[in-house]
Amino acid sequence: MRLSARVDYALRAAAELAATANGPGRGRPVTADQIARAQEIPPKFLESILLQLRRGGIVHAQRGPEGGYWLARPAEEISLAEVIRVIDGPLANVRGQRPEQLGYHGPARALQEVWIALRASEREILELVSVADVAAGTLPARITELVADPRAWI
């Protein structure tokens, strides 16, 4: 699985917003500059990502001196899968197509089912983990089980 820099930055920005929603500045919008500094994200790149997240219903924004960004819903209700879909589209595709739209023939026919199973596995994990889980550093048991296997790290 490959994740774009945009997705990585979007997930980090969402986690930062989740953490600040429960931290000392609770309830106050967070500026893009604050997020960029905290997560070491290029500010101009982050602005376009935050715009996508706003259009996708992940964050709200307010302009002005008291302006900034905040999560549109509780962080527990925002899965990693949702953020990824807003930024990059469907979770799994092959050459830009959804696996169920592919037409393999002969000995390669089973590849379609492999791609669909791969997407289902990705979905299972990415929909299980919320932005709140990441921000708190407390991942679901299924994730910690997978990470505990040394083979997961190679």
Side-chain angles (χ1 to χ4, degrees), residues 1-3 81 84-85 88-102 112 114-123 126:
M1 172 178 200
R2 284 182 200 254
L3 294 176
I84 293 168
R85 286 184 191 110
D88 272 358
L91 291 181
N93 64 58
V94 178
R95 300 183 328 268
Q97 292 184 311
R98 298 174 64 92
E100 63 274 11
Q101 295 172 336
L102 298 171
Q112 182 179 39
V114 172
W115 303 149
I116 290 171
L118 177 63
R119 180 181 58 192
S121 294
E122 287 178 356
R123 185 181 295 145
L126 295 172

Side-chain angles (χ1 to χ4, degrees), residues 22-125:
N22 296 321
R26 170 185 224 150
R28 300 179 72 194
V30 181
T31 68
D33 282 341
Q34 289 171 313
I35 298 167
R37 276 193 309 274
Q39 290 298 317
E40 299 179 350
I41 300 171
K44 289 292 183 194
F45 200 25
L46 179 61
E47 285 284 352
S48 71
I49 291 166
L50 290 168
L51 179 62
Q52 269 188 280
L53 292 175
R54 186 178 63 75
R55 288 181 179 155
I58 304 289
V59 302
H60 285 307
Q62 176 180 316
R63 292 179 186 243
E66 298 294 317
Y69 297 87
W70 64 95
L71 294 175
R73 299 187 313 278
E76 297 81 17
E77 296 176 13
I78 303 171
S79 72
L80 301 187
E82 183 179 359
V83 174
I84 293 168
R85 286 184 191 110
V86 165
I87 299 298
D88 272 358
L91 291 181
N93 64 58
V94 178
R95 300 183 328 268
Q97 292 184 311
R98 298 174 64 92
E100 63 274 11
Q101 295 172 336
L102 298 171
Y104 292 115
H105 305 285
R109 180 171 277 151
L111 279 175
Q112 182 179 39
E113 291 181 22
V114 172
W115 303 149
I116 290 171
L118 177 63
R119 180 181 58 192
S121 294
E122 287 178 356
R123 185 181 295 145
E124 176 186 358
I125 291 169

